[in-house]
Amino acid sequence: VPVDLAALAREAAQRGAAEAQARGIRLEHAGDAPVLVHGQPDALAVLLRNLVDNALRYSPDGAVVRVTVGGTSGGHGATLVVEDSGPGLPPEALARLGERFYRVLGTGQAGSGLGWSIVQRLVRLYGIHVVVERSPGLGGLRVDLAWS
Protein backbone atom coordinates (compact mmCIF):
# COMPACT_ATOMS: atom_id res chain seq x y z
CA VAL A 1 0.00 0.00 0.00
CA PRO A 2 1.15 3.60 -0.35
CA VAL A 3 2.94 4.75 2.81
CA ASP A 4 4.02 8.30 3.66
CA LEU A 5 7.73 7.97 4.33
CA ALA A 6 7.92 11.51 5.73
CA ALA A 7 5.23 10.72 8.33
CA LEU A 8 7.01 7.52 9.37
CA ALA A 9 10.31 9.39 9.71
CA ARG A 10 8.62 12.08 11.79
CA GLU A 11 7.12 9.40 14.07
CA ALA A 12 10.49 7.66 14.47
CA ALA A 13 12.11 10.98 15.39
CA GLN A 14 9.33 11.72 17.89
CA ARG A 15 9.80 8.29 19.49
CA GLY A 16 13.49 9.05 20.00
CA ALA A 17 12.99 12.63 21.21
CA ALA A 18 12.96 11.86 24.96
CA GLU A 19 16.21 9.87 24.80
CA ALA A 20 17.82 12.54 22.63
CA GLN A 21 16.80 15.30 25.02
CA ALA A 22 18.00 13.38 28.08
CA ARG A 23 21.43 12.95 26.50
CA GLY A 24 21.73 16.42 24.98
CA ILE A 25 21.55 15.01 21.45
CA ARG A 26 20.15 17.36 18.85
CA LEU A 27 17.69 15.20 16.90
CA GLU A 28 16.88 16.96 13.63
CA HIS A 29 14.17 16.03 11.17
CA ALA A 30 13.90 17.49 7.66
CA GLY A 31 11.38 16.78 4.95
CA ASP A 32 7.77 17.25 6.00
CA ALA A 33 6.19 17.09 2.54
CA PRO A 34 4.50 13.72 1.94
CA VAL A 35 6.69 11.21 0.09
CA LEU A 36 4.82 8.05 -0.84
CA VAL A 37 6.50 4.67 -1.14
CA HIS A 38 4.90 1.25 -1.46
CA GLY A 39 5.15 -1.16 1.42
CA GLN A 40 3.66 -2.41 4.62
CA PRO A 41 3.43 0.49 7.13
CA ASP A 42 4.43 -1.53 10.21
CA ALA A 43 7.47 -3.05 8.49
CA LEU A 44 8.68 0.32 7.22
CA ALA A 45 8.11 1.81 10.70
CA VAL A 46 10.37 -0.93 12.13
CA LEU A 47 13.00 -0.09 9.51
CA LEU A 48 13.00 3.60 10.46
CA ARG A 49 12.84 2.91 14.19
CA ASN A 50 15.91 0.66 13.98
CA LEU A 51 17.89 3.27 12.04
CA VAL A 52 17.01 6.14 14.39
CA ASP A 53 17.47 4.02 17.53
CA ASN A 54 20.92 2.90 16.38
CA ALA A 55 21.98 6.46 15.56
CA LEU A 56 20.89 7.61 19.02
CA ARG A 57 22.36 4.60 20.83
CA TYR A 58 25.82 4.85 19.32
CA SER A 59 26.17 8.64 19.28
CA PRO A 60 27.81 10.30 22.26
CA ASP A 61 26.02 12.75 24.51
CA GLY A 62 25.77 16.14 22.81
CA ALA A 63 25.88 14.68 19.28
CA VAL A 64 23.65 15.50 16.31
CA VAL A 65 21.37 12.93 14.68
CA ARG A 66 19.66 14.01 11.46
CA VAL A 67 16.79 12.27 9.65
CA THR A 68 16.08 13.61 6.15
CA VAL A 69 13.35 12.52 3.74
CA GLY A 70 13.23 13.65 0.14
CA GLY A 71 11.97 12.73 -3.28
CA THR A 72 8.78 12.78 -5.19
CA SER A 73 5.41 11.44 -4.17
CA GLY A 74 4.48 8.21 -5.88
CA GLY A 75 7.56 6.29 -4.76
CA HIS A 76 9.92 7.28 -7.59
CA GLY A 77 13.18 8.72 -6.35
CA ALA A 78 12.26 8.70 -2.64
CA THR A 79 15.21 8.94 -0.25
CA LEU A 80 15.74 8.62 3.47
CA VAL A 81 19.01 9.57 5.15
CA VAL A 82 19.86 8.95 8.81
CA GLU A 83 23.22 10.37 9.81
CA ASP A 84 25.00 11.32 13.01
CA SER A 85 28.05 13.06 14.41
CA GLY A 86 29.14 10.01 16.40
CA PRO A 87 32.34 8.02 15.94
CA GLY A 88 31.20 6.14 12.84
CA LEU A 89 32.45 2.63 12.18
CA PRO A 90 35.83 1.30 11.13
CA PRO A 91 35.92 -0.44 7.70
CA GLU A 92 36.08 -3.94 9.21
CA ALA A 93 32.88 -3.26 11.19
CA LEU A 94 31.14 -1.77 8.14
CA ALA A 95 31.93 -4.97 6.23
CA ARG A 96 30.16 -7.05 8.92
CA LEU A 97 27.21 -4.74 9.45
CA GLY A 98 24.00 -6.73 9.17
CA GLU A 99 25.37 -10.06 10.32
CA ARG A 100 22.92 -11.48 12.84
CA PHE A 101 24.14 -11.01 16.43
CA TYR A 102 27.24 -9.07 15.30
CA ARG A 103 28.05 -6.17 17.60
CA VAL A 104 31.00 -3.81 17.64
CA LEU A 105 32.82 -4.43 20.90
CA GLY A 106 33.81 -1.63 23.23
CA THR A 107 30.82 0.63 22.62
CA GLY A 108 29.42 0.15 26.11
CA GLN A 109 25.93 -0.27 24.65
CA ALA A 110 23.53 -3.12 25.30
CA GLY A 111 21.77 -4.87 22.45
CA SER A 112 21.27 -8.15 20.65
CA GLY A 113 23.00 -7.34 17.36
CA LEU A 114 19.80 -7.89 15.40
CA GLY A 115 18.82 -4.32 14.45
CA TRP A 116 20.96 -4.13 11.32
CA SER A 117 20.05 -7.63 10.17
CA ILE A 118 16.38 -6.58 10.39
CA VAL A 119 17.16 -3.42 8.39
CA GLN A 120 18.94 -5.45 5.71
CA ARG A 121 16.14 -7.96 5.49
CA LEU A 122 13.56 -5.19 4.99
CA VAL A 123 15.60 -3.31 2.38
CA ARG A 124 15.96 -6.55 0.40
CA LEU A 125 12.24 -7.27 0.74
CA TYR A 126 11.29 -3.84 -0.64
CA GLY A 127 14.11 -3.46 -3.16
CA ILE A 128 15.51 -0.42 -1.38
CA HIS A 129 19.06 0.56 -2.30
CA VAL A 130 21.16 1.20 0.82
CA VAL A 131 24.57 2.86 1.17
CA VAL A 132 26.36 3.08 4.51
CA GLU A 133 29.32 5.43 4.73
CA ARG A 134 30.88 8.21 6.76
CA SER A 135 28.67 11.31 6.86
CA PRO A 136 30.40 14.11 4.94
CA GLY A 137 28.43 16.73 6.88
CA LEU A 138 28.40 15.32 10.42
CA GLY A 139 31.40 12.97 10.44
CA GLY A 140 29.67 9.92 11.92
CA LEU A 141 27.71 7.19 10.19
CA ARG A 142 25.39 7.94 7.26
CA VAL A 143 22.75 5.49 6.08
CA ASP A 144 21.23 6.44 2.74
CA LEU A 145 18.13 4.56 1.54
CA ALA A 146 16.74 5.05 -1.97
CA TRP A 147 13.49 3.80 -3.45
CA SER A 148 13.26 3.70 -7.23
Side-chain angles (χ1 to χ4, degrees):
V1 298
V3 179
D4 183 0
L5 187 60
L8 288 180
R10 202 169 29 257
E11 290 170 15
Q14 288 170 348
R15 287 179 59 99
E19 179 185 348
Q21 184 176 12
R23 296 187 41 222
I25 294 175
R26 192 171 78 226
L27 179 54
E28 302 174 348
H29 175 263
D32 287 327
V35 176
L36 299 179
V37 296
H38 292 283
Q40 203 282 331
D42 291 339
L44 292 175
V46 167
L47 172 73
L48 275 105
R49 191 168 44 247
N50 272 298
L51 292 173
V52 172
D53 287 351
N54 277 345
L56 290 170
R57 176 177 294 171
Y58 294 106
S59 291
D61 293 354
V64 175
V65 172
R66 183 178 299 143
V67 181
T68 307
V69 177
T72 60
S73 61
H76 299 289
T79 61
L80 170 77
V81 177
V82 178
E83 58 189 328
D84 62 66
S85 64
L89 288 172
E92 61 275 7
L94 275 176
R96 295 192 63 193
L97 201 58
E99 288 180 24
R100 290 181 69 194
F101 306 112
Y102 173 72
R103 300 201 51 234
V104 177
L105 299 178
T107 64
Q109 296 297 320
S112 63
L114 290 174
W116 263 105
S117 66
I118 292 168
V119 166
Q120 286 194 323
R121 185 174 202 163
L122 290 170
V123 298
R124 280 193 305 271
L125 177 67
Y126 289 109
I128 302 166
H129 179 71
V130 62
V131 174
V132 181
E133 60 190 358
R134 182 161 297 281
S135 169
L138 297 177
L141 197 65
R142 175 185 168 108
V143 180
D144 195 334
L145 303 179
W147 284 255
S148 55

